[in-house]
Amino acid sequence: MNSYHAWLDRLLTTEAPSLQQSDRKWWRIRILSFLKYCREYPETHGHEVVHIAKGYLSSLTEDPAQKSWQIDQARECLRVFIRGIENWHWDQGKPRFRVKTRFSSYGNGVDLNESTLSSSKSQKKEQPDSSTHPIPIDWKQKLLKSLRVQHYARRTEQSYVSWSLRFVKFCENQNNASVCFPQDARHYLEQLATQSKVTAATQNQAFSALLFFHRTLWNEDLQDMRSTIRARRSTHLPTVLSAQEIRTILKHLTGTMRMISELLYGCGLRVSECVNLRIKDVDFTRMTVEVRAGKGRKDRFVMLPNTTAPALQEHLARCQALWETDRTNNQPGVALPDALERKMPKAGKTWPWFWVFPSKNISRDPLSNVMRRHHIHASSVQKALQNAAAKAKIPRRVTCHVLRHSFATQLLENGTDIRTVQELMGHTNLETTQIYTHVMKKPGLGTKSPLDV
C-alpha cells in the first residue's frame, strides 16, 4: 500500500498542485476506492477506464449516503487520475495501466477500480489552460433555447440569462467580443467577490450560469474549474418570528394580501408556489392544498388552515365573477404549463385552471406574447408584508420566506415529527429541514446566564 501512496502523492503533486495537504488523504482514498471497484465488479472487465468511471460515479449518485460534494470530489479525483495514466488494458481479468513518462519510475501494472464522468480522449492529451472563442451574435437565443429544452424553471432561466449578459459585457471590455476560458471566468468571479462584495451563494450562482453558458455555446464542459472557483458557503440560521409577532403583522394586512400571508404561514408555502395556485389545487372537502411543480419541479400536499377556509371561499366567489367577465369579453385563457395548451387548447378558459389569486389587469405573457390575465406578482406580496412588519414595529427583516421558516420551526416546537415537516416543506434532504432545530425553543435556552445568577 505504501507504493500506492508514493505514486499517488507524486501524481497529485504534479496534476493537482493547488490541492491542500488536508485534502490529499481523501483524494488518495477516492482513487484507491476506484481501484477496488474495478477489481471487485466483473461487469467492468474489458471496458475502457472512462466507461468504468461513469459507472462508478453513477453508483455513488444512487447511494443515498453520498452527498453531492462527495460525488463532485470523486469526479475531480478520477479526472486527475485518468489524465496521469496511459495504455489502459486488461490482463487476466484485471485492469492494467502505465503511468505517463514523468511518472515512469513510480510503477506500472497497477490494479484499477471505479469509474469517472470525465471526457475520455481529450484527457489523454494535455489540455491547454485556456481557449478563446468569439461570442456569437445570437448567443441569447441559443441559451434560451437550451434552457427551455432542458425544462429549467422560469426563475432559473431569467437568472442564467442575466448573469450571462453581464459576463458577455465584461468579456467585450476585456477581449473585444471574445471569451477566453477559464481565465475570464476566474477574473469575473474574483471581481464579483472583491469589488461587488457578493455573497458566496451569489458567486456560486454566477459560476453555475457561466458553466451552462460555456457548455451550451461551445459544447465544452469546465469540470476542472469546479474545485478551483467554487466559493465556500457559510451557514446562516433562518429568521423566525413568534406566533404573537405574526398575528400582529397579520392585523396590519387586509384582503388578498392577508389571505396570501396566512397561507404562507399556515401552509409553509413559498411565495411563488402560493401565487401560482389554481382553483383545482384547493380542496375544501379534504382541507388540503396541492402544490404543483414546486422547487425542483416536485408536487406535494399541505394542509389548508381551518381559520383561512371561510375567507378563501368568499375570495374564490369574487374570482369566479372575474373569470366570468373574462369569458364574456372573450379574453384568452390563462397560461398553462408545458405543452398542455397544445394538448388541451380550451383548458385555459375553464374555471378549474383559473388563478386563485388573479391580477386585476390584463398583461402580456412574456413566453407566448399573448395579452391575458396573469396571477398576482410576488413582489406586491413582498412589499405589502414588509409595510405591515414596519407598522407592527417588528425589529427584524421580515420577508415572505420568514413566514415559511416560522411555519417549520413552530411545527417542530409543537412536537411534529421532523420527517413530516420535511414532507410538508418539500425538502429533498433531511439536512435542509434540520436547520430549524437550531432556532427552535429548547430547554437549554431557558438556562440563566452566570451574570444573572
Side-chain angles (χ1 to χ4, degrees), residues 132-135 171-172 174-180 184:
T132 303
H133 302 283
I135 302 175
C171 293
E172 288 176 346
Q174 298 289 324
N175 305 313
N176 297 324
S178 64
V179 175
C180 183
D184 280 347

Side-chain angles (χ1 to χ4, degrees), residues 238-273:
T239 301
V240 175
L241 302 177
S242 66
Q244 181 58 43
E245 288 175 322
I246 292 177
R247 282 195 292 268
T248 305
I249 292 175
L250 292 177
K251 289 179 181 178
H252 293 86
L253 291 169
T254 58
T256 303
M257 294 305 169
R258 171 163 183 151
M259 197 172 310
I260 293 176
S261 300
E262 288 179 348
L263 290 178
L264 296 179
Y265 172 60
C267 306
L269 301 178
R270 301 175 178 91
V271 63
S272 59
E273 295 170 343

Side-chain angles (χ1 to χ4, degrees), residues 338-408:
D338 300 326
L340 285 180
E341 196 156 5
R342 186 180 69 250
K343 297 177 180 177
M344 302 184 297
K346 297 182 179 181
K349 296 183 178 181
T350 60
W351 170 242
W353 283 95
F354 197 65
W355 305 112
V356 172
F357 301 107
S359 173
K360 294 180 180 179
N361 302 316
I362 303 296
S363 59
R364 189 175 300 278
D365 190 332
L367 294 179
S368 63
N369 208 31
V370 174
M371 294 295 295
R372 55 170 38 130
R373 192 176 299 280
H374 203 52
H375 58 68
I376 194 171
H377 201 278
S379 62
S380 59
V381 183
Q382 196 76 267
K383 292 176 183 177
L385 185 61
Q386 290 175 351
N387 291 335
K391 293 178 181 178
K393 299 181 180 180
I394 303 296
R396 277 171 286 177
R397 182 171 179 265
V398 178
T399 65
C400 294
H401 220 66
V402 168
L403 300 184
R404 174 174 160 87
H405 292 324
S406 304
F407 165 83

Side-chain angles (χ1 to χ4, degrees), residues 11-257:
L11 173 71
L12 295 177
T13 300
T14 306
E15 296 291 347
S18 61
L19 185 66
Q20 297 182 2
Q21 190 65 32
S22 58
D23 296 330
R24 191 177 297 272
K25 177 183 71 172
W26 298 108
W27 280 49
R28 285 201 306 260
I29 291 174
R30 286 292 183 186
I31 295 175
L32 292 176
S33 172
F34 174 73
L35 299 174
K36 182 180 178 182
Y37 173 87
C38 292
R39 291 194 303 269
E40 293 183 352
Y41 288 85
E43 62 269 19
T44 65
H45 295 176
H47 291 288
E48 291 291 332
V49 59
V50 174
H51 178 79
I52 304 172
K54 292 179 180 178
Y56 174 64
L57 290 179
S58 295
S59 67
L60 293 183
T61 304
E62 295 171 358
D63 185 0
Q66 294 289 331
K67 299 181 176 59
S68 59
W69 68 266
Q70 293 174 317
I71 298 174
D72 289 340
Q73 183 188 65
R75 182 184 298 111
E76 181 66 13
C77 293
L78 295 178
R79 186 194 65 79
V80 169
F81 172 78
I82 293 176
R83 191 172 63 190
I85 66 170
E86 61 184 358
N87 293 341
W88 174 272
H89 64 283
W90 290 81
D91 182 17
Q92 296 180 354
K94 292 184 178 180
R96 303 285 181 175
F97 64 89
R98 281 206 310 253
V99 295
K100 291 187 177 179
T101 305
R102 57 184 180 276
F103 304 124
S104 57
S105 60
Y106 279 86
N108 44 62
V110 181
D111 289 348
L112 199 59
N113 61 3
E114 298 190 349
S115 57
T116 147
L117 288 179
S118 304
S119 59
S120 55
K121 296 182 180 179
S122 60
Q123 291 173 343
K124 293 184 180 180
K125 298 180 180 179
E126 290 297 325
Q127 294 285 346
D129 291 337
S130 64
S131 56
T132 303
H133 302 283
I135 302 175
I137 298 177
D138 59 342
W139 68 265
K140 186 174 181 181
Q141 288 74 16
K142 292 181 179 179
L143 191 67
L144 284 172
K145 181 179 178 181
S146 182
L147 285 164
R148 290 172 185 175
V149 165
Q150 300 181 50
H151 294 279
Y152 276 74
R154 173 67 176 166
R155 294 288 296 274
T156 305
E157 176 184 308
Q158 295 172 339
S159 175
Y160 277 23
V161 171
S162 175
W163 282 117
S164 299
L165 181 61
R166 298 177 197 177
F167 180 64
V168 166
K169 291 182 179 178
F170 172 82
C171 293
E172 288 176 346
N173 294 332
Q174 298 289 324
N175 305 313
N176 297 324
S178 64
V179 175
C180 183
F181 268 93
Q183 279 87 342
D184 280 347
R186 288 194 175 96
H187 293 162
Y188 180 66
L189 294 173
E190 289 171 1
Q191 185 186 73
L192 289 178
T194 59
Q195 298 182 20
S196 301
K197 305 293 184 181
V198 301
T199 63
T202 302
Q203 187 181 3
N204 285 334
Q205 183 190 65
F207 178 55
S208 298
L210 298 189
L211 286 180
F212 189 90
F213 174 82
H214 191 263
R215 185 167 58 243
T216 299
L217 296 186
W218 297 292
N219 197 27
E220 296 177 4
D221 204 355
L222 301 174
Q223 295 288 350
D224 58 331
M225 290 175 57
R226 293 183 183 275
S227 61
T228 59
I229 295 185
R230 286 286 188 184
R232 186 183 297 273
R233 298 188 64 171
S234 55
T235 302
H236 295 287
L237 295 179
T239 301
V240 175
L241 302 177
S242 66
Q244 181 58 43
E245 288 175 322
I246 292 177
R247 282 195 292 268
T248 305
I249 292 175
L250 292 177
K251 289 179 181 178
H252 293 86
L253 291 169
T254 58
T256 303
M257 294 305 169

Side-chain angles (χ1 to χ4, degrees), residues 276-284 288 290 312 315-317 319-320 323 350-358:
N276 276 284
L277 287 176
R278 300 179 188 263
I279 302 299
K280 64 183 183 61
D281 298 331
V282 182
D283 189 344
F284 290 100
T288 59
E290 185 176 8
L312 184 58
H315 169 77
L316 293 185
C319 290
Q320 189 165 16
W323 169 77
T350 60
W351 170 242
W353 283 95
F354 197 65
W355 305 112
V356 172
F357 301 107

